[in-house]
Amino acid sequence: MNKGIKTGGNPGQLRWVILLLAVAVILPTVCLLWFMSQAVKNVQLAAQQKLIDLYTEKLERAVPQVQRTWRDRANLVEDKVEEEPMANFMSFVLDAGGADRSGGVLITYDDSGRLLYPIIDSGTEQPSVPEEFESAWKLEFVERNFKEARRIYDQIADSAQEDYIWRKAMLGQARCEVGRGRISLAMTMYYRNAAYDRLSREMSPASVSLAAHARVMVAALEQQLNEQNTAELSRLIRSATYYGQDVHSQRLFLPMDCATRIFILQKAIDIAEKSPKAQEFKKNNRIERTKWLLAAEQMAVEVAEHYPNTAAFKKWAVGSVHRLDVVSDVYGLYCEAAGRTFLLVRLGEEVRKDFGAFEQSFGGSDVLYRVLDDKGIFVSGTEQSEENPFLTLAVGSSLPDWQVKLWFKDSDIFTKAASREVAIYIWAGVLVIVLILAAGGIAGQAVGRQIKLNRLKNDFIATVSHELKTPLSSMRVLADTLLEGNYKDQKQATEYLQLICKENKRLSGLIDNFLTFSRMERNKQAFEMVKTSPFSIAHAAADAVKTKFSEGRCEFEVKISEDLPDVSADHDAMVTVLVNLLDNAYKYSYDDKHIELRVFTEDGLVCFSVVDNGVGMSRRSAKRIFKRFYQVDRSLSRRAQGCGLGLSIAKFIVDAHKGSISVDSKPGEGSTFTVKLPAAN
Ligand code: ADP
């Protein structure tokens, strides 16, 4: 074969085809992966949205319950607005909220925003007292002349115009009687008078304060005289815990400032707890109620000192709840009713209980919640979390700037919720990618086959034209010579004609091989399988090559075993196989040729062996010689003619007979080709 002949496809084109194929596979795969990642993200987002919707709904159900609680309280404030702020205050502490003090502490302001209750500042300066007091005090405290001092106090009391002076003188008288050891008199007479007599709404806070002091003294002295008597103590408690004063079933609200109230409440508790009848007081919850009032009063003072008027509430909406800027953990509900402004103060611990609805909604679920007040301070739920909340909502119009934050106990919940869908997407994606790859593979194979076929066609054309050219041109030269009469005699002319005939035969042989190959390629070679004797096949082949082998130095032996079984074969096709092998043995042997054709049986198979002492071949070549157009020596100078089709045709025929063909060869030592066919049974 001519080495210069270009065969096969264009490598540049091939590269393009491979590139296009790669793009056709990679591009959709990459797109699919992208779509998949987007789809997975979307599924996760959808799952997240679903959960968010679910919990938003839950939250929206819980929020109104908290709102309602505060609205009810605001309504209660409006319902309970009575004339006396103090009465209101006490009813919130003692009645409205029931025994657990959850009613709250009610701070009241008038329509101009001034504090009405609690009374922090008594408003009046300490009233001036007559000069006579000076000498009375001197007698009482320095000289301890109680009798004389009492007389002066008596005079002051008799002539006193002001309630304050009168009460102060009464207290002086009482003290002097105590100093003289007349305790019972001091208690039943002077202290009691100073405590409970001449009470009126017009009394000044300073005067009320003296009365309160006298009340405490009455109760204390009663205990001192006889611990079993508790009438005065009861009266003290009643007046401290119920209303300012209960005179003939008429409620009288004395303008008592909170310092006095706190004093009187504290003393009442002290005396009652020390009394041997303390159990009785406790039974009726009276000490308990007094303590609530004391705590409420103290809280009221703390708040009222910080909010002495309504200026701070200007920005607040009516009915809204805010954390108050005081040391205690308290919240205020801002209300307006009957021209007054109210601040219902509730302890943080009580406010926390209002969020029970949240606990009901989220307790035991996958979600944790945290309620923060308008100052961002934790109120209810789970106090600390590292996680970012997935939902932050307002707690409702009653609680402006309050927030409830929700987050999942399990941070992977979105991924878990979407995992089923994600798995489906991934599997579908993997399947499609596998299909794309498979389709790409199949397409690649088809293209490869096509390229190979193309190369074969090119090889075929190149080989055919080359192999045909040689005999044709030698035939033309000979024919031209004869036509031009350039020959010596008839003998030479005959010789030329014989040469033409020989070339013609070779040409026919070549063309036969091409045709066989072509039929083979198109799968159109039909074999006629009949029972045939191996002997006749071997003989026909030997006959075909006999003439050729008789030329030159060639020893040809045919060794056929006896009792060979028949084979099921196409006689002519098998002769072609053996002729091809014998032809090759001849072609690829040196001048002293020794060729053998052996036919024998081995392992129940009929074997045809062609043995030569020719050039042989390497192991590598031996593996390839049955491929189409393969030639060990492809150089121009090679002696043997041929087109690399003989052995591939032989293999095709042998395969069609369900047989096998093999070669055993060593370079320089000759070759043995063996065809094995199954015996016909
Ligand atoms: P060709 O037409 O070239 O002979 P074949 O298909 O018959 O084609 O043989 C393929 C190649 O195998 C040959 O080119 C030759 O190199 C090698 N070959 C075949 N038979 C022999 C042999 N008996 N000894 C050495 N080489 C051989």
Side-chain angles (χ1 to χ4, degrees), residues 69-101:
T69 320
W70 284 102
R71 249 199 323 274
D72 289 350
R73 286 197 186 109
N75 290 340
L76 210 61
V77 172
E78 287 171 29
D79 290 349
K80 293 249 172 191
V81 170
E82 291 170 25
E83 227 168 84
E84 285 299 330
M86 181 180 167
N88 239 339
F89 175 90
M90 293 174 72
S91 84
F92 259 90
V93 177
L94 301 174
D95 308 338
D100 65 353
R101 223 181 68 199

PDB file of all heavy atoms in Angstrom, residues 69-101:
ATOM      1  N   THR A  69     -57.236  40.351  76.935  1.00  0.00           N
ATOM      2  CA  THR A  69     -56.978  40.473  78.375  1.00  0.00           C
ATOM      3  C   THR A  69     -56.771  41.937  78.749  1.00  0.00           C
ATOM      4  O   THR A  69     -57.314  42.422  79.745  1.00  0.00           O
ATOM      5  CB  THR A  69     -55.692  39.698  78.739  1.00  0.00           C
ATOM      6  OG1 THR A  69     -55.685  38.500  78.004  1.00  0.00           O
ATOM      7  CG2 THR A  69     -55.582  39.421  80.197  1.00  0.00           C
ATOM      8  N   TRP A  70     -55.973  42.624  77.923  1.00  0.00           N
ATOM      9  CA  TRP A  70     -55.676  44.026  78.233  1.00  0.00           C
ATOM     10  C   TRP A  70     -56.883  44.918  77.980  1.00  0.00           C
ATOM     11  O   TRP A  70     -57.128  45.872  78.708  1.00  0.00           O
ATOM     12  CB  TRP A  70     -54.471  44.511  77.436  1.00  0.00           C
ATOM     13  CG  TRP A  70     -53.196  43.974  78.012  1.00  0.00           C
ATOM     14  CD1 TRP A  70     -52.451  42.940  77.544  1.00  0.00           C
ATOM     15  CD2 TRP A  70     -52.542  44.424  79.195  1.00  0.00           C
ATOM     16  NE1 TRP A  70     -51.368  42.717  78.338  1.00  0.00           N
ATOM     17  CE2 TRP A  70     -51.391  43.619  79.374  1.00  0.00           C
ATOM     18  CE3 TRP A  70     -52.794  45.418  80.137  1.00  0.00           C
ATOM     19  CZ2 TRP A  70     -50.504  43.778  80.429  1.00  0.00           C
ATOM     20  CZ3 TRP A  70     -51.909  45.582  81.184  1.00  0.00           C
ATOM     21  CH2 TRP A  70     -50.779  44.770  81.334  1.00  0.00           C
ATOM     22  N   ARG A  71     -57.671  44.562  76.949  1.00  0.00           N
ATOM     23  CA  ARG A  71     -58.871  45.373  76.681  1.00  0.00           C
ATOM     24  C   ARG A  71     -59.844  45.248  77.850  1.00  0.00           C
ATOM     25  O   ARG A  71     -60.459  46.217  78.287  1.00  0.00           O
ATOM     26  CB  ARG A  71     -59.527  44.934  75.372  1.00  0.00           C
ATOM     27  CG  ARG A  71     -59.394  46.017  74.293  1.00  0.00           C
ATOM     28  CD  ARG A  71     -60.376  45.852  73.166  1.00  0.00           C
ATOM     29  NE  ARG A  71     -60.655  44.492  72.789  1.00  0.00           N
ATOM     30  CZ  ARG A  71     -59.936  43.784  71.933  1.00  0.00           C
ATOM     31  NH1 ARG A  71     -58.883  44.329  71.353  1.00  0.00           N
ATOM     32  NH2 ARG A  71     -60.251  42.547  71.635  1.00  0.00           N
ATOM     33  N   ASP A  72     -59.958  44.001  78.364  1.00  0.00           N
ATOM     34  CA  ASP A  72     -60.849  43.769  79.509  1.00  0.00           C
ATOM     35  C   ASP A  72     -60.417  44.626  80.692  1.00  0.00           C
ATOM     36  O   ASP A  72     -61.246  45.183  81.410  1.00  0.00           O
ATOM     37  CB  ASP A  72     -60.824  42.286  79.925  1.00  0.00           C
ATOM     38  CG  ASP A  72     -61.521  41.418  78.899  1.00  0.00           C
ATOM     39  OD1 ASP A  72     -62.166  42.005  77.993  1.00  0.00           O
ATOM     40  OD2 ASP A  72     -61.406  40.178  78.975  1.00  0.00           O
ATOM     41  N   ARG A  73     -59.111  44.724  80.875  1.00  0.00           N
ATOM     42  CA  ARG A  73     -58.609  45.509  82.009  1.00  0.00           C
ATOM     43  C   ARG A  73     -58.952  46.988  81.816  1.00  0.00           C
ATOM     44  O   ARG A  73     -59.354  47.666  82.758  1.00  0.00           O
ATOM     45  CB  ARG A  73     -57.098  45.366  82.127  1.00  0.00           C
ATOM     46  CG  ARG A  73     -56.736  44.014  82.660  1.00  0.00           C
ATOM     47  CD  ARG A  73     -55.325  43.950  83.166  1.00  0.00           C
ATOM     48  NE  ARG A  73     -55.106  42.559  83.506  1.00  0.00           N
ATOM     49  CZ  ARG A  73     -54.334  41.728  82.837  1.00  0.00           C
ATOM     50  NH1 ARG A  73     -53.645  42.164  81.815  1.00  0.00           N
ATOM     51  NH2 ARG A  73     -54.227  40.473  83.190  1.00  0.00           N
ATOM     52  N   ALA A  74     -58.776  47.440  80.556  1.00  0.00           N
ATOM     53  CA  ALA A  74     -59.082  48.841  80.267  1.00  0.00           C
ATOM     54  C   ALA A  74     -60.565  49.102  80.532  1.00  0.00           C
ATOM     55  O   ALA A  74     -60.940  50.127  81.113  1.00  0.00           O
ATOM     56  CB  ALA A  74     -58.725  49.170  78.828  1.00  0.00           C
ATOM     57  N   ASN A  75     -61.402  48.137  80.132  1.00  0.00           N
ATOM     58  CA  ASN A  75     -62.847  48.275  80.365  1.00  0.00           C
ATOM     59  C   ASN A  75     -63.145  48.343  81.855  1.00  0.00           C
ATOM     60  O   ASN A  75     -64.005  49.098  82.308  1.00  0.00           O
ATOM     61  CB  ASN A  75     -63.617  47.093  79.749  1.00  0.00           C
ATOM     62  CG  ASN A  75     -63.582  47.175  78.231  1.00  0.00           C
ATOM     63  OD1 ASN A  75     -63.323  48.242  77.682  1.00  0.00           O
ATOM     64  ND2 ASN A  75     -63.813  46.050  77.571  1.00  0.00           N
ATOM     65  N   LEU A  76     -62.407  47.506  82.605  1.00  0.00           N
ATOM     66  CA  LEU A  76     -62.593  47.468  84.047  1.00  0.00           C
ATOM     67  C   LEU A  76     -62.275  48.826  84.666  1.00  0.00           C
ATOM     68  O   LEU A  76     -62.986  49.302  85.552  1.00  0.00           O
ATOM     69  CB  LEU A  76     -61.643  46.405  84.623  1.00  0.00           C
ATOM     70  CG  LEU A  76     -62.091  45.699  85.874  1.00  0.00           C
ATOM     71  CD1 LEU A  76     -63.393  44.944  85.608  1.00  0.00           C
ATOM     72  CD2 LEU A  76     -61.014  44.702  86.307  1.00  0.00           C
ATOM     73  N   VAL A  77     -61.212  49.428  84.162  1.00  0.00           N
ATOM     74  CA  VAL A  77     -60.835  50.751  84.675  1.00  0.00           C
ATOM     75  C   VAL A  77     -61.986  51.721  84.422  1.00  0.00           C
ATOM     76  O   VAL A  77     -62.409  52.458  85.320  1.00  0.00           O
ATOM     77  CB  VAL A  77     -59.540  51.260  84.010  1.00  0.00           C
ATOM     78  CG1 VAL A  77     -59.259  52.711  84.406  1.00  0.00           C
ATOM     79  CG2 VAL A  77     -58.362  50.381  84.402  1.00  0.00           C
ATOM     80  N   GLU A  78     -62.516  51.672  83.191  1.00  0.00           N
ATOM     81  CA  GLU A  78     -63.609  52.590  82.852  1.00  0.00           C
ATOM     82  C   GLU A  78     -64.838  52.317  83.709  1.00  0.00           C
ATOM     83  O   GLU A  78     -65.494  53.241  84.197  1.00  0.00           O
ATOM     84  CB  GLU A  78     -63.966  52.453  81.367  1.00  0.00           C
ATOM     85  CG  GLU A  78     -62.893  53.076  80.482  1.00  0.00           C
ATOM     86  CD  GLU A  78     -63.107  52.765  79.018  1.00  0.00           C
ATOM     87  OE1 GLU A  78     -64.263  52.573  78.607  1.00  0.00           O
ATOM     88  OE2 GLU A  78     -62.091  52.710  78.290  1.00  0.00           O
ATOM     89  N   ASP A  79     -65.129  51.015  83.912  1.00  0.00           N
ATOM     90  CA  ASP A  79     -66.311  50.653  84.702  1.00  0.00           C
ATOM     91  C   ASP A  79     -66.181  51.111  86.149  1.00  0.00           C
ATOM     92  O   ASP A  79     -67.151  51.447  86.809  1.00  0.00           O
ATOM     93  CB  ASP A  79     -66.500  49.126  84.720  1.00  0.00           C
ATOM     94  CG  ASP A  79     -66.922  48.628  83.351  1.00  0.00           C
ATOM     95  OD1 ASP A  79     -67.251  49.485  82.506  1.00  0.00           O
ATOM     96  OD2 ASP A  79     -66.892  47.401  83.130  1.00  0.00           O
ATOM     97  N   LYS A  80     -64.948  51.019  86.632  1.00  0.00           N
ATOM     98  CA  LYS A  80     -64.756  51.233  88.062  1.00  0.00           C
ATOM     99  C   LYS A  80     -64.468  52.691  88.417  1.00  0.00           C
ATOM    100  O   LYS A  80     -64.131  52.993  89.557  1.00  0.00           O
ATOM    101  CB  LYS A  80     -63.584  50.379  88.544  1.00  0.00           C
ATOM    102  CG  LYS A  80     -63.876  48.898  88.482  1.00  0.00           C
ATOM    103  CD  LYS A  80     -63.993  48.340  89.857  1.00  0.00           C
ATOM    104  CE  LYS A  80     -64.492  46.899  89.777  1.00  0.00           C
ATOM    105  NZ  LYS A  80     -64.872  46.399  91.068  1.00  0.00           N
ATOM    106  N   VAL A  81     -64.529  53.550  87.408  1.00  0.00           N
ATOM    107  CA  VAL A  81     -64.218  54.935  87.723  1.00  0.00           C
ATOM    108  C   VAL A  81     -65.248  55.474  88.699  1.00  0.00           C
ATOM    109  O   VAL A  81     -66.433  55.543  88.398  1.00  0.00           O
ATOM    110  CB  VAL A  81     -64.181  55.806  86.445  1.00  0.00           C
ATOM    111  CG1 VAL A  81     -64.098  57.268  86.815  1.00  0.00           C
ATOM    112  CG2 VAL A  81     -63.004  55.414  85.610  1.00  0.00           C
ATOM    113  N   GLU A  82     -64.787  55.721  89.871  1.00  0.00           N
ATOM    114  CA  GLU A  82     -65.666  56.309  90.879  1.00  0.00           C
ATOM    115  C   GLU A  82     -65.117  57.685  91.186  1.00  0.00           C
ATOM    116  O   GLU A  82     -64.078  58.071  90.656  1.00  0.00           O
ATOM    117  CB  GLU A  82     -65.676  55.430  92.127  1.00  0.00           C
ATOM    118  CG  GLU A  82     -66.365  54.103  91.882  1.00  0.00           C
ATOM    119  CD  GLU A  82     -66.173  53.146  93.040  1.00  0.00           C
ATOM    120  OE1 GLU A  82     -65.954  53.632  94.174  1.00  0.00           O
ATOM    121  OE2 GLU A  82     -66.240  51.940  92.806  1.00  0.00           O
ATOM    122  N   GLU A  83     -65.827  58.318  92.089  1.00  0.00           N
ATOM    123  CA  GLU A  83     -65.385  59.681  92.356  1.00  0.00           C
ATOM    124  C   GLU A  83     -64.022  59.724  93.045  1.00  0.00           C
ATOM    125  O   GLU A  83     -63.176  60.530  92.722  1.00  0.00           O
ATOM    126  CB  GLU A  83     -66.421  60.396  93.202  1.00  0.00           C
ATOM    127  CG  GLU A  83     -66.716  61.760  92.633  1.00  0.00           C
ATOM    128  CD  GLU A  83     -67.921  62.351  93.283  1.00  0.00           C
ATOM    129  OE1 GLU A  83     -67.721  62.937  94.349  1.00  0.00           O
ATOM    130  OE2 GLU A  83     -69.037  62.212  92.744  1.00  0.00           O
ATOM    131  N   GLU A  84     -63.867  58.829  94.007  1.00  0.00           N
ATOM    132  CA  GLU A  84     -62.647  58.874  94.799  1.00  0.00           C
ATOM    133  C   GLU A  84     -61.525  58.048  94.176  1.00  0.00           C
ATOM    134  O   GLU A  84     -61.631  56.823  94.076  1.00  0.00           O
ATOM    135  CB  GLU A  84     -62.934  58.336  96.207  1.00  0.00           C
ATOM    136  CG  GLU A  84     -63.698  59.298  97.062  1.00  0.00           C
ATOM    137  CD  GLU A  84     -62.950  60.611  97.274  1.00  0.00           C
ATOM    138  OE1 GLU A  84     -61.692  60.596  97.270  1.00  0.00           O
ATOM    139  OE2 GLU A  84     -63.605  61.656  97.448  1.00  0.00           O
ATOM    140  N   PRO A  85     -60.421  58.664  93.774  1.00  0.00           N
ATOM    141  CA  PRO A  85     -59.313  57.907  93.203  1.00  0.00           C
ATOM    142  C   PRO A  85     -58.780  56.865  94.178  1.00  0.00           C
ATOM    143  O   PRO A  85     -58.395  55.777  93.798  1.00  0.00           O
ATOM    144  CB  PRO A  85     -58.251  58.965  92.929  1.00  0.00           C
ATOM    145  CG  PRO A  85     -58.976  60.257  92.900  1.00  0.00           C
ATOM    146  CD  PRO A  85     -60.171  60.106  93.780  1.00  0.00           C
ATOM    147  N   MET A  86     -58.829  57.201  95.465  1.00  0.00           N
ATOM    148  CA  MET A  86     -58.302  56.275  96.456  1.00  0.00           C
ATOM    149  C   MET A  86     -59.165  55.015  96.545  1.00  0.00           C
ATOM    150  O   MET A  86     -58.662  53.897  96.633  1.00  0.00           O
ATOM    151  CB  MET A  86     -58.263  56.969  97.806  1.00  0.00           C
ATOM    152  CG  MET A  86     -57.710  56.085  98.884  1.00  0.00           C
ATOM    153  SD  MET A  86     -57.706  57.003 100.417  1.00  0.00           S
ATOM    154  CE  MET A  86     -57.417  55.701 101.555  1.00  0.00           C
ATOM    155  N   ALA A  87     -60.486  55.249  96.467  1.00  0.00           N
ATOM    156  CA  ALA A  87     -61.393  54.101  96.488  1.00  0.00           C
ATOM    157  C   ALA A  87     -61.117  53.208  95.289  1.00  0.00           C
ATOM    158  O   ALA A  87     -61.076  51.982  95.394  1.00  0.00           O
ATOM    159  CB  ALA A  87     -62.838  54.591  96.460  1.00  0.00           C
ATOM    160  N   ASN A  88     -60.909  53.851  94.173  1.00  0.00           N
ATOM    161  CA  ASN A  88     -60.598  53.120  92.952  1.00  0.00           C
ATOM    162  C   ASN A  88     -59.320  52.310  93.110  1.00  0.00           C
ATOM    163  O   ASN A  88     -59.240  51.148  92.738  1.00  0.00           O
ATOM    164  CB  ASN A  88     -60.365  54.132  91.827  1.00  0.00           C
ATOM    165  CG  ASN A  88     -61.340  53.902  90.709  1.00  0.00           C
ATOM    166  OD1 ASN A  88     -61.881  52.812  90.604  1.00  0.00           O
ATOM    167  ND2 ASN A  88     -61.558  54.915  89.916  1.00  0.00           N
ATOM    168  N   PHE A  89     -58.341  52.981  93.656  1.00  0.00           N
ATOM    169  CA  PHE A  89     -57.041  52.350  93.878  1.00  0.00           C
ATOM    170  C   PHE A  89     -57.214  51.077  94.698  1.00  0.00           C
ATOM    171  O   PHE A  89     -56.742  50.006  94.349  1.00  0.00           O
ATOM    172  CB  PHE A  89     -56.134  53.359  94.602  1.00  0.00           C
ATOM    173  CG  PHE A  89     -54.798  52.812  94.995  1.00  0.00           C
ATOM    174  CD1 PHE A  89     -53.722  52.898  94.125  1.00  0.00           C
ATOM    175  CD2 PHE A  89     -54.606  52.211  96.242  1.00  0.00           C
ATOM    176  CE1 PHE A  89     -52.479  52.397  94.490  1.00  0.00           C
ATOM    177  CE2 PHE A  89     -53.364  51.706  96.602  1.00  0.00           C
ATOM    178  CZ  PHE A  89     -52.306  51.808  95.719  1.00  0.00           C
ATOM    179  N   MET A  90     -57.971  51.233  95.788  1.00  0.00           N
ATOM    180  CA  MET A  90     -58.116  50.101  96.698  1.00  0.00           C
ATOM    181  C   MET A  90     -58.945  48.994  96.091  1.00  0.00           C
ATOM    182  O   MET A  90     -58.668  47.816  96.288  1.00  0.00           O
ATOM    183  CB  MET A  90     -58.685  50.586  98.029  1.00  0.00           C
ATOM    184  CG  MET A  90     -57.649  51.469  98.703  1.00  0.00           C
ATOM    185  SD  MET A  90     -58.212  52.244 100.185  1.00  0.00           S
ATOM    186  CE  MET A  90     -58.284  50.933 101.325  1.00  0.00           C
ATOM    187  N   SER A  91     -59.945  49.389  95.311  1.00  0.00           N
ATOM    188  CA  SER A  91     -60.769  48.327  94.728  1.00  0.00           C
ATOM    189  C   SER A  91     -59.957  47.531  93.710  1.00  0.00           C
ATOM    190  O   SER A  91     -60.135  46.334  93.561  1.00  0.00           O
ATOM    191  CB  SER A  91     -62.046  48.899  94.114  1.00  0.00           C
ATOM    192  OG  SER A  91     -61.795  49.344  92.810  1.00  0.00           O
ATOM    193  N   PHE A  92     -59.023  48.202  93.006  1.00  0.00           N
ATOM    194  CA  PHE A  92     -58.194  47.448  92.057  1.00  0.00           C
ATOM    195  C   PHE A  92     -57.273  46.482  92.758  1.00  0.00           C
ATOM    196  O   PHE A  92     -57.056  45.373  92.324  1.00  0.00           O
ATOM    197  CB  PHE A  92     -57.392  48.393  91.145  1.00  0.00           C
ATOM    198  CG  PHE A  92     -58.046  48.512  89.817  1.00  0.00           C
ATOM    199  CD1 PHE A  92     -58.993  49.489  89.575  1.00  0.00           C
ATOM    200  CD2 PHE A  92     -57.765  47.572  88.824  1.00  0.00           C
ATOM    201  CE1 PHE A  92     -59.628  49.567  88.367  1.00  0.00           C
ATOM    202  CE2 PHE A  92     -58.406  47.649  87.603  1.00  0.00           C
ATOM    203  CZ  PHE A  92     -59.341  48.642  87.364  1.00  0.00           C
ATOM    204  N   VAL A  93     -56.759  46.948  93.903  1.00  0.00           N
ATOM    205  CA  VAL A  93     -55.837  46.073  94.626  1.00  0.00           C
ATOM    206  C   VAL A  93     -56.607  44.922  95.278  1.00  0.00           C
ATOM    207  O   VAL A  93     -56.209  43.766  95.191  1.00  0.00           O
ATOM    208  CB  VAL A  93     -55.062  46.862  95.693  1.00  0.00           C
ATOM    209  CG1 VAL A  93     -54.165  45.944  96.497  1.00  0.00           C
ATOM    210  CG2 VAL A  93     -54.237  47.959  95.043  1.00  0.00           C
ATOM    211  N   LEU A  94     -57.738  45.232  95.884  1.00  0.00           N
ATOM    212  CA  LEU A  94     -58.405  44.231  96.717  1.00  0.00           C
ATOM    213  C   LEU A  94     -59.523  43.466  96.023  1.00  0.00           C
ATOM    214  O   LEU A  94     -59.690  42.283  96.251  1.00  0.00           O
ATOM    215  CB  LEU A  94     -58.955  44.906  97.978  1.00  0.00           C
ATOM    216  CG  LEU A  94     -57.908  45.611  98.843  1.00  0.00           C
ATOM    217  CD1 LEU A  94     -58.566  46.360  99.979  1.00  0.00           C
ATOM    218  CD2 LEU A  94     -56.891  44.613  99.374  1.00  0.00           C
ATOM    219  N   ASP A  95     -60.276  44.133  95.161  1.00  0.00           N
ATOM    220  CA  ASP A  95     -61.446  43.474  94.578  1.00  0.00           C
ATOM    221  C   ASP A  95     -61.213  43.018  93.144  1.00  0.00           C
ATOM    222  O   ASP A  95     -61.356  41.846  92.820  1.00  0.00           O
ATOM    223  CB  ASP A  95     -62.660  44.419  94.565  1.00  0.00           C
ATOM    224  CG  ASP A  95     -62.920  45.010  95.937  1.00  0.00           C
ATOM    225  OD1 ASP A  95     -62.458  44.378  96.911  1.00  0.00           O
ATOM    226  OD2 ASP A  95     -63.563  46.065  96.007  1.00  0.00           O
ATOM    227  N   ALA A  96     -60.833  43.960  92.299  1.00  0.00           N
ATOM    228  CA  ALA A  96     -60.861  43.689  90.858  1.00  0.00           C
ATOM    229  C   ALA A  96     -60.031  42.482  90.469  1.00  0.00           C
ATOM    230  O   ALA A  96     -60.465  41.637  89.701  1.00  0.00           O
ATOM    231  CB  ALA A  96     -60.359  44.911  90.105  1.00  0.00           C
ATOM    232  N   GLY A  97     -58.861  42.406  91.014  1.00  0.00           N
ATOM    233  CA  GLY A  97     -57.989  41.316  90.593  1.00  0.00           C
ATOM    234  C   GLY A  97     -58.144  40.071  91.429  1.00  0.00           C
ATOM    235  O   GLY A  97     -57.449  39.099  91.189  1.00  0.00           O
ATOM    236  N   GLY A  98     -59.012  40.100  92.395  1.00  0.00           N
ATOM    237  CA  GLY A  98     -59.149  38.923  93.239  1.00  0.00           C
ATOM    238  C   GLY A  98     -57.991  38.841  94.198  1.00  0.00           C
ATOM    239  O   GLY A  98     -57.211  39.774  94.355  1.00  0.00           O
ATOM    240  N   ALA A  99     -57.887  37.676  94.796  1.00  0.00           N
ATOM    241  CA  ALA A  99     -56.950  37.533  95.899  1.00  0.00           C
ATOM    242  C   ALA A  99     -55.488  37.582  95.484  1.00  0.00           C
ATOM    243  O   ALA A  99     -54.621  37.805  96.306  1.00  0.00           O
ATOM    244  CB  ALA A  99     -57.234  36.232  96.622  1.00  0.00           C
ATOM    245  N   ASP A 100     -55.193  37.373  94.196  1.00  0.00           N
ATOM    246  CA  ASP A 100     -53.772  37.295  93.826  1.00  0.00           C
ATOM    247  C   ASP A 100     -53.186  38.648  93.431  1.00  0.00           C
ATOM    248  O   ASP A 100     -52.120  38.732  92.851  1.00  0.00           O
ATOM    249  CB  ASP A 100     -53.545  36.275  92.709  1.00  0.00           C
ATOM    250  CG  ASP A 100     -54.234  36.706  91.436  1.00  0.00           C
ATOM    251  OD1 ASP A 100     -54.977  37.703  91.473  1.00  0.00           O
ATOM    252  OD2 ASP A 100     -54.025  36.036  90.415  1.00  0.00           O
ATOM    253  N   ARG A 101     -53.885  39.697  93.723  1.00  0.00           N
ATOM    254  CA  ARG A 101     -53.379  41.040  93.526  1.00  0.00           C
ATOM    255  C   ARG A 101     -53.140  41.356  92.052  1.00  0.00           C
ATOM    256  O   ARG A 101     -52.441  42.281  91.714  1.00  0.00           O
ATOM    257  CB  ARG A 101     -52.057  41.188  94.273  1.00  0.00           C
ATOM    258  CG  ARG A 101     -51.956  42.484  95.015  1.00  0.00           C
ATOM    259  CD  ARG A 101     -50.641  42.543  95.694  1.00  0.00           C
ATOM    260  NE  ARG A 101     -49.579  42.654  94.725  1.00  0.00           N
ATOM    261  CZ  ARG A 101     -48.314  42.374  94.975  1.00  0.00           C
ATOM    262  NH1 ARG A 101     -47.976  41.930  96.156  1.00  0.00           N
ATOM    263  NH2 ARG A 101     -47.395  42.525  94.075  1.00  0.00           N
TER     264      ARG A 101
END
